Amino acid sequence: MVSFSIQVLVALLGAGAALAMPVEEKRQDAACTGPLVRKAWHTLTDTEKKSYIDAELCLMKKPSASGLRGTRTRFDEFQVAHALKTEIAHFVGQFLPFHRLFIFAHEQALRKECGYTGAQPYWEEGRDAGAFSKSILLDPVLGFGGNGVGPNKCIQDGPFANYTNSLGPGYLVQDHCIDRDINDLFSTTAAAATVERCLNTTTYLDFWPCIENGPHGAGHGGIGAQMLNPVSSPGDPIFFLHHAWLDWLWAKWQAKDPKARLTDMGGNNKGVLGGVFGGPSSPGFGAPGGPGGPGFPGGGAPPPNIPGGFTPVNLTRPNDVPEPLVIGDPGNTTTLSHLLYLYGMTENRTIAEVMDTKGVLCYVYDS
Ligand SMILES: *[C@@H]1O[C@H](CO)[C@@H](O)[C@H](O)[C@H]1NC(C)=O
Ligand SMILES: *[C@@H]1O[C@H](CO)[C@@H](O)[C@H](O)[C@H]1NC(C)=O
Ligand SMILES: *[C@@H]1O[C@H](CO)[C@@H](O)[C@H](O)[C@H]1NC(C)=O
Ligand SMILES: *[C@@H]1O[C@H](CO)[C@@H](O)[C@H](O)[C@H]1NC(C)=O
Ligand SMILES: *[C@@H]1O[C@H](CO)[C@@H](O)[C@H](O)[C@H]1NC(C)=O
Ligand SMILES: [Cu+2]
């Protein structure tokens, strides 16, 4: 049911695979003793849930320090860093490593700046496939609040109900609420069979598109509204638990054959698959065949509102300084030397450095 673009992607990537060049594994300089253990949200105690929520609220109160346009708070800075990298972080080989570092940066901010002592939890979406609206994640007290209501689909309850996003949808800089438009049908792509099909793949060039087009769409399409916006989706704090789940799946897949998979990287490093998003060969969110678009499970739903399409509107790169978007790869293929740069949200890292969660990032998953 999510096969709409995978054949095309794989066919296209087959050509790219020949270009992928082996890169020497970078020496890990950190001995990761005592890694943080990331756990599934539904397994946390009430106290653990509360301390995560409180730390997120703390980030939402801390003033922005980066000077990134459109930000008022530290929480907003993550949203902007994601927006600025959207074009080269989705439907490209660095999709999984980029988001791995992005989620790590958020976890570090909670710990270093907000007194959080836990790890980034993940949302085990498979448990809620087809029934996101009943998820424990949406608890109004020990969760992220429920569905959006009214014409603007603003969330009404939960700890984040009163937060004002300063960015989005898309690249717009404007105040709005955290919104949701839950769609249980979209959330079926989190189902065990879909996940298992991805975990059954044996190369990164099969695994990554399987994840990006399948389970990835569940969290975004199933929660909807801003979560369905590929640019500004981290404006909903549930984003971090969604992408931690995908990261968990990647780590699980890597652990099945660490020797090969901890260095397996590839794919295009720019949105060459049909432009940026939504091209015919790589249906993005809202495009025909892509999550949220016609032909997707629950299909025919209106595409998400992305003002200006994928052309930055108000938001541009800091100080409007042009910069090369892709750094570190010798050609058009994503390699282990690709630089992951998050506008100071965390240290610059190469993909090689984030391949193993037990390297410089130093965390593991509970299962
Ligand atoms: C949000 O604001 C309303 C109105 O001021 C208030 O009643 C409610 O308690 C606030 N909710 C939170 C979670 O702060
Ligand atoms: C995954 O692989 C296992 C073992 O080969 C197989 O039994 C199972 O049917 C596969 N699952 C899917 C969804 O392809
Ligand atoms: C942002 O862009 C929109 C659409 O072009 C425009 O209406 C709005 O005035 C701009 N806002 C700022 C702060 O520049
Ligand atoms: C890389 O892509 C550009 C177009 O974006 C193309 O002009 C160039 O030939 C490609 N380079 C290689 C080595 O394929
Ligand atoms: C991180 O990478 C960016 C982009 O190349 C560069 O501008 C910045 O100076 C780097 N930061 C550090 C601390 O090296
Ligand atoms: Cu993203």
Side-chain angles (χ1 to χ4, degrees):
M1 88 187 141
V2 288
S3 60
F4 47 82
S5 64
I6 286 162
Q7 288 84 347
V8 186
L9 270 175
V10 169
L12 278 165
L13 290 171
L19 297 172
M21 49 195 87
V23 171
E24 241 183 303
E25 196 180 349
K26 198 163 172 169
R27 192 182 64 86
Q28 295 295 2
D29 51 9
C32 171
T33 52
L36 270 185
V37 181
R38 292 186 179 176
K39 297 187 263 188
W41 182 263
H42 70 276
T43 68
L44 300 187
T45 64
D46 288 359
T47 310
E48 286 170 330
K49 287 178 184 165
K50 177 108 177 32
S51 68
Y52 180 79
I53 290 166
D54 286 348
E56 194 76 278
L57 288 168
C58 157
L59 273 195
M60 289 177 167
K61 289 197 188 86
K62 267 197 186 302
S64 161
S66 63
L68 286 167
R69 188 173 306 156
T71 59
R72 264 197 299 267
T73 71
R74 287 285 289 128
F75 180 80
D76 299 341
E77 289 179 345
F78 285 93
Q79 198 187 4
V80 170
H82 184 272
L84 292 170
K85 290 289 178 194
T86 293
E87 309 151 70
I88 61 154
H90 303 90
F91 300 104
V92 290
Q94 61 266 33
F95 171 72
L96 289 171
F98 170 87
H99 288 88
R100 172 169 284 179
L101 188 63
F102 187 71
I103 299 303
F104 172 81
H106 173 259
E107 179 182 60
Q108 289 294 103
L110 295 178
R111 290 172 56 82
K112 289 186 174 164
E113 299 168 44
C114 287
Y116 180 58
T117 56
Q120 173 67 52
Y122 62 94
W123 176 11
E124 198 180 328
E125 290 175 33
R127 303 179 79 244
D128 295 324
F132 274 15
S133 57
K134 297 188 185 69
S135 173
I136 192 175
L137 269 282
L138 304 181
D139 190 273
V141 180
L142 291 169
F144 296 81
N147 203 0
V149 172
N152 294 329
K153 311 220 176 288
C154 295
I155 61 170
Q156 301 292 310
D157 61 6
F160 307 109
N162 293 343
Y163 190 69
T164 303
N165 280 147
S166 60
L167 173 77
Y171 293 98
L172 280 172
V173 174
Q174 64 177 17
D175 287 350
H176 62 95
C177 62
I178 294 176
D179 54 9
R180 292 190 191 134
D181 191 6
I182 293 175
N183 184 318
D184 282 337
L185 207 47
F186 281 1
S187 76
T188 55
T189 50
T194 311
V195 170
E196 189 181 283
R197 199 167 54 82
C198 296
L199 290 175
N200 272 2
T201 64
T202 56
T203 66
Y204 186 75
L205 288 184
D206 287 334
F207 179 73
W208 139 60
C210 186
I211 291 291
E212 185 164 9
N213 284 306
H216 177 231
H220 289 290
I223 293 295
Q226 183 139 268
M227 266 292 276
L228 192 43
N229 191 299
V231 175
S232 56
S233 47
D236 187 332
I238 220 165
F239 174 96
F240 296 94
L241 288 91
H242 167 54
H243 267 277
W245 175 56
L246 304 177
D247 187 61
W248 174 59
L249 295 176
W250 186 25
K252 262 166 106 85
W253 179 82
Q254 290 180 305
K256 288 166 161 230
D257 185 2
K259 200 166 180 301
R261 297 185 188 178
L262 288 176
T263 53
D264 190 3
M265 187 43 52
N268 54 297
N269 59 14
K270 283 182 244 172
V272 292
L273 297 180
V276 181
F277 279 85
S281 55
S282 178
F285 298 96
F296 196 75
N305 176 25
I306 304 167
F310 292 95
T311 306
V313 185
N314 306 125
L315 193 68
T316 53
R317 298 202 157 71
N319 308 316
D320 298 331
V321 175
E323 56 170 301
L325 283 172
V326 175
I327 305 167
D329 296 325
N332 292 341
T333 299
T334 311
T335 67
L336 294 178
S337 31
H338 180 100
L339 181 79
L340 301 169
Y341 162 52
L342 295 179
Y343 295 97
M345 296 298 112
T346 188
E347 281 176 63
N348 289 350
R349 295 289 184 195
T350 59
I351 287 182
E353 289 176 300
V354 306
M355 288 298 284
D356 187 353
T357 67
K358 297 188 290 297
V360 291
L361 306 183
C362 198
Y363 65 86
V364 293
Y365 285 95
D366 58 348
S367 62

